[in-house]
Amino acid sequence: MQNRLLSLDVFRGLTVAAMILVNNPGDWGHVYPPLLHAHWNGCTPTDLVFPFFLFIVGVSIAFAMGKNPPTVLKIARRSATLFGLGLFLSLYPKFNFETVRIPGVLQRIAIVYFVCSLLYIKTTRKTQIGLLALVLLAYYVLMTFVPVPGVGYANLEPETNLGAWVDRTILGTNHLWKAAKVWDPEGIFSTIPAVGTGLLGVLTGQWLRVDKPVAERIAWLFAAGNGLVVAGLIADLFFPINKSLWTSSYVLYAGGWAMVGLALCYWLIDVQGYRKWTTPVVAFGVNAITVFFLSGIIPRTLALIKIDTPEGPVSSQLWMQKNLIGVWFVNEYNASLAGALTFLAIWFVILYVMYKKGIIIKV
């Protein structure tokens, strides 16, 4: 079995492109619902993007480490680098350490990568399956049965659930998501089941490497993915699918769709050989962390640059959205989507040139 799947790079590229699209609308006040996260319970297409990436991290671990895994020190160094980049994003441009948000997307990726890598090189597949089941069950029990200190009862509300209490107690309100202040969608407690999403990827990667006919591997992966989607919907009846809490039902549901997506890409690209269209998408996949990091830096930088208008100074990003893109659209939602697509297109040109020149920035 090869050590690299083109379909995995394509799946990663599609996921990163979707991440850039939903994170950078032209106008946050006018975004089509599928491009927004669910308000609380439930799952939109946007809610699948982050778990897809964590799933891909797990699959990549199984393929990249193979029979010659890196040392624990090397794994720790890469994890620390990812975590540090995430903190830098939180700090930029004010660099206020007293109110910096400590959790974040890259920080969660770093932790999931570290834990899943150690589990991959130190435990068997049977142990990994057992740990996955234990994590999902334990998280369900803790979140739904353990009384929250200061509240007196278990609940799944944004500000009063057990995870929010843990995050506030350990990190303090100054270091949580600024939009909420008392809870964080990438908080400490919900990172535990997020590791489960990474483990699903690790197990999937190991399955794709087994010495069995390719049709059998794909069929079983597709069946398992659909089974997890159904299991997630059943679990949703008593433990709602919720990205912010990263509930066990959400792990099953999103992980199932990730398996189905990868199985489809694997069959189309690596088995059927439909590869001509893949290069632009792979360009996003091979520099995934780079584009995510810089696509977070650029909007913050543009917000620092002010342009005088009759209504007063506005950020350069807002000025460009209104005067270079928005003027072509009557519908403000279409204008906002066009802004996001323009940002994505600019990144496509940059990443395509980098890919063609063999420039791959590894973290």
Side-chain angles (χ1 to χ4, degrees):
M1 186 69 181
Q2 69 267 39
N3 288 323
R4 192 173 191 94
L5 286 179
L6 178 59
S7 54
L8 182 59
D9 286 333
V10 170
F11 194 40
R12 185 190 295 109
L14 290 171
T15 302
V16 172
M19 194 177 293
I20 295 171
L21 182 69
V22 301
N23 285 346
N24 298 278
D27 174 10
W28 277 107
H30 298 89
V31 182
Y32 285 111
L35 300 178
L36 291 171
H37 292 294
H39 179 67
W40 190 241
N41 292 335
C43 186
T44 70
T46 297
D47 290 316
L48 294 176
V49 175
F50 194 15
F52 274 24
F53 195 87
L54 291 184
F55 173 84
I56 292 167
V57 167
V59 178
S60 299
I61 287 170
F63 272 88
M65 296 185 180
K67 296 181 180 179
N68 298 300
T71 63
V72 173
L73 180 59
K74 188 174 182 180
I75 292 171
R77 283 175 177 170
R78 189 181 187 207
S79 301
T81 300
L82 286 169
F83 200 95
L85 288 173
L87 276 181
F88 184 89
L89 270 181
S90 296
L91 285 165
Y92 185 81
K94 295 181 179 180
F95 292 95
N96 187 336
F97 287 87
E98 293 183 359
T99 60
V100 62
R101 181 192 176 200
I102 295 177
V105 171
L106 286 176
Q107 294 91 315
R108 174 164 286 183
I109 292 173
I111 295 170
V112 170
Y113 168 77
F114 180 75
V115 176
C116 287
S117 295
L118 292 185
L119 290 175
Y120 176 73
I121 65 176
K122 298 294 185 180
T123 65
T124 64
R125 184 163 53 181
K126 183 177 180 180
T127 299
Q128 292 158 20
I129 294 173
L131 286 173
L132 172 61
L134 178 62
V135 164
L136 298 185
L137 179 60
Y139 189 65
Y140 161 66
V141 171
L142 290 171
M143 291 293 289
T144 58
F145 290 99
V146 175
V148 180
V151 178
Y153 57 92
N155 71 94
L156 300 176
E157 296 304 312
E159 299 180 2
T160 55
N161 68 80
L162 184 62
W165 177 83
V166 170
D167 293 341
R168 287 196 303 272
T169 302
I170 296 177
L171 299 176
T173 56
N174 283 343
H175 299 295
L176 299 179
W177 187 41
K178 297 300 181 288
K181 296 184 180 180
V182 293
W183 62 275
D184 197 294
E186 277 80 49
I188 296 173
F189 206 57
S190 60
T191 297
I192 298 172
V195 171
T197 300
L199 269 179
L200 281 175
V202 170
L203 293 168
T204 297
Q206 291 177 86
W207 170 250
L208 289 176
R209 292 177 60 86
V210 300
D211 187 20
K212 292 182 180 294
V214 65
E216 182 178 346
R217 292 199 301 269
I218 294 175
W220 276 107
L221 181 59
F222 188 78
N226 279 281
L228 287 181
V229 170
V230 173
L233 291 173
I234 293 173
D236 176 58
L237 299 175
F238 52 88
F239 196 23
I241 292 173
N242 185 302
K243 176 191 176 294
S244 295
L245 296 177
W246 214 278
T247 53
S248 303
S249 56
Y250 176 67
V251 173
L252 297 173
Y253 182 76
W257 280 120
M259 285 185 181
V260 171
L262 181 57
L264 181 60
C265 288
Y266 186 32
W267 180 76
L268 285 173
I269 299 167
D270 290 299
V271 178
Q272 297 299 316
Y274 294 106
R275 302 185 176 199
K276 291 183 179 180
W277 62 276
T278 61
T279 300
V281 182
V282 172
F284 279 92
V286 296
N287 276 303
I289 297 298
T290 299
V291 65
F292 178 81
F293 177 77
L294 292 178
S295 67
I297 290 291
I298 290 174
R300 291 169 170 82
T301 302
L302 291 175
L304 296 175
I305 304 172
K306 303 297 183 180
I307 296 178
D308 290 326
T309 69
E311 293 78 24
V314 299
S315 72
S316 56
Q317 183 181 19
L318 180 59
W319 185 91
M320 287 187 288
Q321 172 64 27
K322 288 186 175 181
N323 294 278
L324 300 181
I325 300 174
V327 292
W328 299 98
F329 297 89
V330 175
N331 186 305
E332 292 182 292
Y333 286 88
N334 289 342
S336 179
L337 178 59
L341 290 172
T342 300
F343 191 71
L344 185 65
I346 293 171
W347 269 113
F348 162 70
V349 173
I350 296 171
L351 293 170
Y352 188 75
V353 171
M354 289 176 63
Y355 181 70
K356 284 298 184 179
K357 291 183 176 293
I359 302 173
I360 299 176
I361 302 174
K362 295 184 177 181
V363 177

